Every structure is written in structure tokens, then in C-alpha cells.
Amino acid sequence: MLRYIVRRLIQLVVVMFVLSLLLFLWLRSLPGGPDSAICGERCTPDQRVAMRHALGMDQPIWVQYFKYMGRVFTGNFGYSSGVEPGTPAIEVFLHRLPATIELTIGALIFAIVLGIPLGYFAARRKGGIFDNLGIISSLVGIAIPVFFLAYLLKFVFAVKLGWLPDSGRQSTDLAQPATRVTGFFVLDGLITREWDASWDAFRHLILPSIALGTIPFAVIFRITRSSVIDVQNEDYVRTAEAKGLTTQVIRRRHILRNAMLPVVTVTGLQVGALLAGAVLTETVFAYPGLGQATAIAFQLRDFAVLQVLVLASAATYTLVNLVVDLSYALIDPRIRTR
Amino acid sequence: MPLLEVEDLGVEFRRRGLEPFRAVDGVSFDVDPGQTVGLVGESGCGKSVTSLAIMRLLMPRGNRVTGRVSFDGTDLLRLPIRDMRDRRGRDLAMIFQDPLSSLNPVISIGLQVTEVLQRHRGMKQSAARAEARDLLDQVGIPDPDRRLKEYPHQLSGGMRQRALIAMAVACRPRLLIADEPTTALDVTIQAQILQLLGTLVRENGTALIMITHDLGVVAGLCDEVNVLYGGRIVERANRHELFATPQHPYTHGLLASIPRLDAPAGERLHPVQGSVSDNIPWTSACAFAPRCGNEVDRCRSASPELTAAPLGHGHQLRCFNPVLPDGAGVGATGGSAPVDSAGEAL
Ligand SMILES: Nc1ncnc2c1ncn2[C@@H]1O[C@H](COP(=O)(O)OP(=O)(O)OP(=O)(O)O)[C@@H](O)[C@H]1O
Ligand code: SF4
Ligand SMILES: [Mg+2]
């Protein structure tokens, strides 16, 4: 097991390395190179030379690459030019990270807490009304574009009904300003016992989480349903029945556990979709996370920030994959004991 | 008094848009305490469905089970499902064909054995563990302590079947149903498993229903044999008589298809020609007629009943024109010559 984890971590390093190389090449291939990308169109030749020197672009390419890697390792990606001008890109990333993690967790909880039980019940009553309703809503959930759903939710529940806030992470008119501890606002409120701040942050999370979590929900629902249906017909479930075990034990121990294997994989894959969905959701809800930063950075050609975001999302993706594989191994001894 | 009385058991599968299909049709047989009864027949003749119906393990929807299955005086088919669950694994247990797929791949062998003990014998974790260890030892699994911690994929095929047997006999059931327990195993392992089953039922006084398509298995293990075809019993006899004076053309076919050690090298086996898909319904004919070498006119116009066979005691037969040995007095040997009187002679 330990060897397995180590092997996966090495893989992760290799992936990150390849990615940084690609990123380096991408930066060099920007129209006119990074110098003009940073300098802008109205750059005098003198400024450009100075910029090229500052960027080290007058040095051989391999030197540039090593310097670049050095910067990557020290987290020195330069300064943001568009998202939060003048702030180091890595800081822009770091202080927005908790917001996006909070949102992603919210979306995943929404998707899992709804998707797995509903998928399970739909499978138990396969062909029933509930099953059909579930299938239809999951189809709608997959088909509906994220930004449209986000707008719809915002319009109905925030604008029209006014039940929930329509943007941001926390209201600005709290009785007393919230204390920041971890950057996770819901958690901060719980730690500092500022219940209203925590509750307010939670309310801000609801609509974006639903918007972002709908596709994963639909996917998890469907995979749970089909997986439970498959497992129900497995020989070992019949063996469990033949042993006279109680329905409870059969469901929990023999059906659910096996049925979770594909669900774990698919849930992991959904994290990729979440990263993409976060850009749209955060934009619609003016939610100050990495998705919003990505959108702005693209718009304003903030390459310093973009660089960090690309590397970070790749790292997230590989890390999530690792977590998925580990939990898979935890459930399935056939992998663990290999 | 028999331990198990199966009376007129019928299983009909109904699927939307399809004709109802009678997989088991009026099957009756008894099993005495400690007795081993064989259910024999080729693939698709309804052996598994019969055993699943007895255990009430058929899927709850899409089928209709009729008849009576009385176990120690209780009709299992009419028992509330809760009570049935209490009996499964405790009074009657089952072993399946494919040991790998019949074991849960993500749960340790230990838990799969102890869960039965905890369920039916109310054992605590540690006591169950110790008992499970003894059980594995009993069924001939070496190094049981290690095996308890392992998972099905880490065991060999024979070992897996032994583990399944351990789970089945964990609560000393009075009836054990083994559905082709050796088909998925190597020949040498097959013999070991059969021997183990024989020993276990003898030592514990367990009644055994042995399901197989292999008359060789029957020869080694069964007291009574029921030959099934198309969901009906076509011949029933004690083992000795079945092999000495088989009379149904289908049984003859099965016997001819047993590989023989003394057969000249290169001689081909003689499986019964045709396949189950050639069946015609029993309603007004003999389902075996399309494949039968002994067919007579009546075989296509009337359905034979299970009646006393011309030869033997308690030997029963469902055939208008049985195959009889030379000089038996009733008819010709199996083959071409139809004997019209055979049907009436029964
Ligand atoms: N759930 C089901 N729905 C419809 N038909 C079924 C179902 N289960 C079994 N059958 C049919 O019932 C018949 C008897 O099946 P059964 O499994 O009892 O055969 P078997 O004698 O055990 O054969 P094998 O040696 O292949 O195990 C077959 O024709 C099969 O197709
Ligand atoms: S002789 Fe007739 S009744 Fe007997 S098995 Fe053949 S077809 Fe059936
Ligand atoms: Mg079968």
C-alpha cells in the first residue's frame, strides 16, 4: 500500500513537471512573447529591451527554462496585472483558494448527499415513478448549461423571491465584521463563535453550490443507480441471501459497498468538471474564487495569474485522482493487496 | 417422515411481451434426513430454478411459484419472508456453482464466515472468529488464521469452494443444497470437494440435494436420483437401479455421454444429440421427442405421466417407450424399433 502511494506521488511530480514545461513553451509562444504581453502594444523599443532583460529573455533558452523552474519552485510567478493588479500572482491564488474549496465542497456535498441515496432508492424501485422522475431530472441536470442554471437560480431564489443572497461570499452589512482565521468563511464563523457570520457565509454558498453541483449530482445519481442494479444481481448477493442475513446487512455490507466502487471513480472525475464549472458559476454569482479569477485573468491577459491557475488546477486534478485511487484501494482489497 | 417434501413444484417466468415460460413443471420429490438426493440433467432443464425456488431465492418479481415445499412439516413457500430468512443459513443452506462470483470480493473470508455465525448462532465477534477458524480447518483449508484475513481473490478455486462450504455448514443445517458445486473446478479438485461434501453430510447427518449434470458425481454420492428434463422429472430411482437399469432414453443418453476410462483412445463421447432449444412443450407431447431415438406416434400427441417403471422397485419413469435391456420381456432395446405396447405396459 505504501509503495503504491509513493509510486502515485512520483507520478504526480512527473505530471507537474511535464505541465510546467508545456506552460513554459506556451508563455514563450504568446503573441510577441511574454515581454510584449506584459509590456503591452504601446511599448517603446527601449522599454522592450529593458523588459526582455528583466525577464531574462536575452539569455539562452535552457537558462531561461531553469530560471523559470526556479521561480515555479519558489512560487514566484510575478505580479498580477489584471485580477488584483500589483499583488503577487501566488498571493492572488492563495487568498482565493479557500473560497473555491468551500464552493467545491458545497457542490460535492450537494451532489453526493443527494445523488447516492436517490440513486440507491431509484435502483431499489427500478421502473417505478420515483425511478423515472430521478432519471428525467438527472437528464435535465446534465443537459442544462451551468451558466444558465446559475442565472436561473439566481433570478428565482435571489432576485425574485429574495430568499438567498445573489452574490459574493458574505454580506458586507453584518452586525460586526467577521473575523478571518482560515479563509474558509463558514469554518471561521464556527471557530470564532460568530454564528451569524458563519450562517451568512453558508447562505451565500447555497445557490452557487447547487448550480455547480447539479451536473455531478446527475452523474452520481445515474452511476449509483446503475451500479446498485448491477450489484443486486451479483451472485454474492444471492449467497448473502442464502445465508439468511438480514436485509440491513445485505444492503449495507454486500450491496452498497460494492456499488460504491464505480461511484468513487466517477465522483473523482467530476472534480475536473467542477473546475470548469466554477469559472461560470463564480462569474454569475460574483463569487470571489479562483473561477472568477480565471475568467478575469483571461479577459485582461493576466498571464502571471493564469500560470498559477493552470498549474494549480493540474495539481488538483492529479491529487484528486490520487485520492480517488486511494479510496478505491480502501474499498477494494483486490487493488490493495496486489 | 421425510425432512423435505417437494410437491408439485412449479415455477413460471413471466416477462412482459413474452409467453410465460414454465421452467419447473410439477416437480415432486422427497429427501429423508441424512439422505443424498441427486437432481440431474443438462443445462437449462430447471435444476437451479428448482433449488432457488426451494430456498425462495428467486427474484421477487417476474415469476410465479406454485406447489408445496414442506420442510419438517412447514410449508416454506407460505412462510413469511422474515421467518424464511431466519431459516436460511440455519436450517437449510446452499452452495453455488461459481465460487469466485459467489463470494463477496471486497469482504474478508473471515467476515463472510462469521456473519452467518453472528446472525444465526448469536455469537460474539471473538467466539465467531474462533468458530470460523475451526470451520475452515474442518473443510480442509490450511493455515486458517491467515485465510480468515484474506479476500476471495487471494484463494485458489478449490479453496474458495471450501470456504463457501464452510459458510454453508457453519450452523449445522439439516439440509444442504449444492448446485453444481464442482463444475467450475479442475478435475482433481472436483474429486476432493465431492469427498469433502460426502464426509461432511455423513458426519453431521445432513441431508443433501446434489445438483449436477454429471452422472459421475451422482454415482459417487447420491442415494436417490431424479433425472430432470424440460422442467419435469423424467426418471427417478435409487442410484443402484439407475445405473443398473436406466430406462428413459434421455438417461441413456446422459450415461452414454460419461467419459469412460476404458474407452478406446480417440473414441468420441456421445452427448445426447440436439439441445434443450429443440424442446416442445409438455402440454400434449413428450418434450424430449425431437431428440429421442425411441420416439413413437403417441409421443407427439400425448404427454407421458410419471409412473412406475417396468423394471425395478420404486423406479419411476415418464416415457411411452422406455429403453429396456435384451430379454427384459417388455420390449426391445433402445434404438429404432418402436414398441407400441410399452406405454400401456406401464
Ligand atoms: N430469471 C429468469 N427469467 C426467465 N427465465 C429463466 C430465469 N431463470 C432461469 N430461466 C430459464 O429457466 C430454465 C431453467 O434454468 P436453470 O437455471 O434452472 O437451468 P439449470 O438446469 O440449472 O442449468 P445449468 O446447468 O445451466 O445451471 C432455463 O431455460 C432458463 O433460461
Ligand atoms: S419414447 Fe416417447 S415418451 Fe419416451 S422419451 Fe422418447 S419421445 Fe419421450
Ligand atoms: Mg444451474
Side-chain angles (χ1 to χ4, degrees):
Chain A
M1 190 70 183
L2 193 69
R3 261 186 31 209
Y4 179 73
I5 297 176
V6 170
R7 204 173 66 210
R8 293 304 313 262
L9 283 173
I10 293 174
Q11 279 173 11
L12 188 131
V13 172
V14 173
V15 168
M16 292 305 294
F17 179 78
V18 171
L19 233 125
S20 66
L21 183 61
L22 288 176
L23 213 71
F24 172 70
L25 295 174
W26 174 64
L27 284 174
R28 285 192 52 89
S29 70
L30 289 174
D35 49 341
S36 47
I38 292 172
C39 215
E41 312 277 299
R42 289 176 297 278
C43 205
T44 65
D46 279 356
Q47 277 175 324
R48 182 176 296 260
V49 169
M51 178 61 77
R52 286 181 72 87
H53 182 72
L55 289 172
M57 286 184 64
D58 45 359
Q59 287 169 320
I61 186 152
W62 58 272
V63 175
Q64 289 183 39
Y65 179 65
F66 276 108
K67 290 202 161 166
Y68 164 79
M69 285 309 282
R71 273 179 279 135
V72 167
F73 276 112
T74 51
N76 179 8
F77 293 91
Y79 292 87
S80 165
S81 60
V83 182
E84 290 168 32
T87 318
I90 187 79
E91 266 175 40
V92 173
F93 169 77
L94 285 178
H95 81 247
R96 278 169 177 263
L97 181 63
T100 293
I101 292 182
E102 219 170 31
L103 175 59
T104 311
I105 291 176
L108 274 180
I109 288 178
F110 170 77
I112 290 171
V113 164
L114 237 60
I116 292 180
L118 292 186
Y120 181 78
F121 287 120
R124 302 277 328 169
R125 307 213 180 287
K126 185 182 155 206
I129 294 180
F130 179 80
D131 184 25
N132 282 310
L133 276 179
I135 292 176
I136 291 170
S137 45
S138 75
L139 269 177
V140 173
I142 290 178
I144 197 168
V146 175
F147 74 91
F148 178 69
L149 179 66
Y151 270 120
L152 197 70
L153 288 170
K154 179 171 160 173
F155 180 74
V156 174
F157 294 100
V159 178
K160 275 285 161 202
L161 296 170
W163 291 352
L164 292 163
D166 64 347
S167 65
R169 288 184 77 187
Q170 206 161 43
S171 307
T172 44
D173 55 352
L174 288 171
Q176 62 190 73
T179 319
R180 303 278 175 252
V181 187
T182 58
F184 297 91
F185 287 6
V186 177
L187 189 66
D188 284 355
L190 295 178
I191 293 174
T192 58
R193 298 174 169 268
E194 294 166 355
W195 310 125
D196 58 329
S198 186
W199 173 242
D200 181 71
F202 177 74
R203 279 165 39 89
H204 277 82
L205 272 175
I206 295 177
L207 290 180
S209 294
I210 295 176
L212 186 56
T214 294
I215 290 181
F217 155 73
V219 173
I220 290 173
F221 169 83
R222 292 170 69 94
I223 196 78
T224 305
R225 176 181 174 276
S226 65
S227 171
V228 168
I229 288 175
D230 287 349
V231 171
Q232 272 175 345
N233 294 323
E234 289 285 350
D235 286 353
Y236 52 78
V237 174
R238 195 182 53 195
T239 308
E241 290 279 3
K243 289 169 167 177
L245 302 178
T246 56
T247 20
Q248 240 187 17
V249 170
I250 293 178
R251 283 179 195 170
R252 265 212 323 271
R253 192 180 289 164
H254 292 277
I255 298 181
L256 259 184
R257 211 170 147 181
N258 281 285
M260 277 309 104
L261 289 171
V263 178
V264 168
T265 314
V266 166
T267 306
L269 290 177
Q270 284 310 304
V271 173
L274 284 182
L275 293 178
V279 176
L280 301 166
T281 310
E282 291 186 4
T283 304
V284 172
F285 287 99
Y287 187 90
L290 297 176
Q292 190 196 41
T294 311
I296 299 175
F298 256 109
Q299 224 168 15
L300 303 180
R301 297 164 51 102
D302 187 340
F303 293 107
V305 171
L306 273 183
Q307 244 185 100
V308 187
L309 290 173
V310 170
L311 277 178
S313 74
T316 315
Y317 206 69
T318 21
L319 266 178
V320 166
N321 253 317
L322 178 65
V323 170
V324 166
D325 288 355
L326 289 184
S327 36
Y328 208 99
L330 216 63
I331 306 179
D332 193 342
R334 284 166 294 188
I335 293 173
R336 200 182 330 146
T337 56
R338 201 169 45 199
Chain B
M1 196 182 109
L3 174 68
L4 182 82
E5 292 171 89
V6 177
E7 266 175 58
D8 199 24
L9 183 69
V11 179
E12 195 173 79
F13 289 107
R14 294 146 178 263
R15 289 237 187 86
R16 228 177 293 166
L18 287 178
E19 288 272 291
F21 173 72
R22 290 193 77 81
V24 177
D25 199 358
V27 165
S28 305
F29 63 94
D30 292 349
V31 183
D32 290 335
Q35 192 185 34
T36 295
V37 172
L39 289 184
V40 193
E42 345 163 75
S43 189
C45 69
K47 306 180 298 285
S48 296
V49 174
T50 303
S51 57
L52 293 173
I54 293 171
M55 293 288 286
R56 289 184 59 187
L57 286 174
L58 290 166
M59 289 289 153
R61 280 192 286 177
N63 61 67
R64 205 166 66 100
V65 182
T66 52
R68 255 167 54 86
V69 174
S70 123
F71 181 88
D72 203 14
T74 321
D75 186 355
L76 297 182
L77 296 185
R78 270 149 207 89
L79 212 56
I81 190 67
R82 287 185 140 257
D83 300 350
M84 188 65 206
R85 283 181 184 280
D86 288 344
R87 289 181 170 249
R88 281 187 204 141
R90 188 186 70 192
D91 295 339
L92 54 169
M94 189 157 175
I95 306 166
F96 298 95
Q97 173 171 349
D98 180 356
L100 181 57
S101 67
S102 298
L103 289 166
N104 191 328
V106 305
I107 297 179
S108 69
I109 298 292
L111 181 54
Q112 295 190 56
V113 180
T114 52
E115 64 181 0
V116 202
L117 297 165
Q118 292 183 311
R119 163 79 168 98
H120 295 298
R121 287 168 64 178
M123 289 182 153
K124 291 274 168 295
Q125 178 70 35
S126 56
R129 198 88 188 160
E131 176 75 16
R133 200 205 152 279
D134 291 347
L135 278 165
L136 291 197
D137 201 35
Q138 250 177 57
V139 297
I141 295 183
D143 199 358
D145 286 310
R146 193 182 100 211
R147 296 303 182 185
L148 281 178
K149 292 192 204 91
E150 292 193 334
Y151 293 86
H153 72 278
Q154 293 168 295
L155 272 56
S156 67
M159 207 93 83
R160 287 178 201 137
Q161 193 57 288
R162 284 174 197 269
L164 270 170
I165 292 174
M167 292 165 206
V169 301
C171 301
R172 296 279 146 81
R174 282 190 288 165
L175 175 70
L176 185 61
I177 304 179
D179 187 355
E180 310 211 31
T182 57
T183 345
L185 305 174
D186 292 345
V187 187
T188 44
I189 314 286
Q190 285 187 7
Q192 294 171 11
I193 295 289
L194 290 176
Q195 196 178 10
L196 169 68
L197 274 176
T199 315
L200 282 174
V201 295
R202 213 173 322 114
E203 283 175 359
N204 298 337
T206 312
L208 173 66
I209 298 180
M210 184 71 200
I211 293 176
T212 176
H213 57 255
D214 183 351
L215 278 171
V217 171
V218 170
L221 213 58
C222 299
D223 305 312
E224 283 276 333
V225 188
N226 298 289
V227 180
L228 250 71
Y229 189 83
R232 292 194 184 190
I233 292 179
V234 293
E235 182 160 18
R236 178 209 324 280
N238 65 44
R239 168 187 47 176
H240 181 73
E241 286 204 1
L242 190 85
F243 285 96
T245 54
Q247 292 158 61
H248 197 281
Y250 178 59
T251 314
H252 266 262
L254 288 179
L255 282 168
S257 66
I258 301 181
R260 295 169 62 115
L261 287 177
D262 57 354
E267 195 196 61
R268 285 168 49 92
L269 298 177
H270 300 285
V272 193
Q273 32 172 297
S275 75
V276 215
S277 56
D278 300 329
N279 279 7
I280 51 178
W282 282 106
T283 30
S284 60
C286 170
F288 188 57
R291 303 169 65 188
C292 180
N294 262 26
E295 191 190 348
V296 289
D297 289 346
R298 293 183 63 189
C299 304
R300 299 263 182 178
S301 58
S303 185
E305 295 293 322
L306 190 65
T307 47
L311 300 177
H313 299 284
H315 195 138
Q316 289 183 302
L317 205 57
R318 186 191 296 279
C319 179
F320 290 128
N321 185 22
V323 182
L324 298 170
D326 285 327
V330 189
T333 50
S336 49
V339 179
D340 291 332
S341 61
E344 282 80 20
L346 301 181

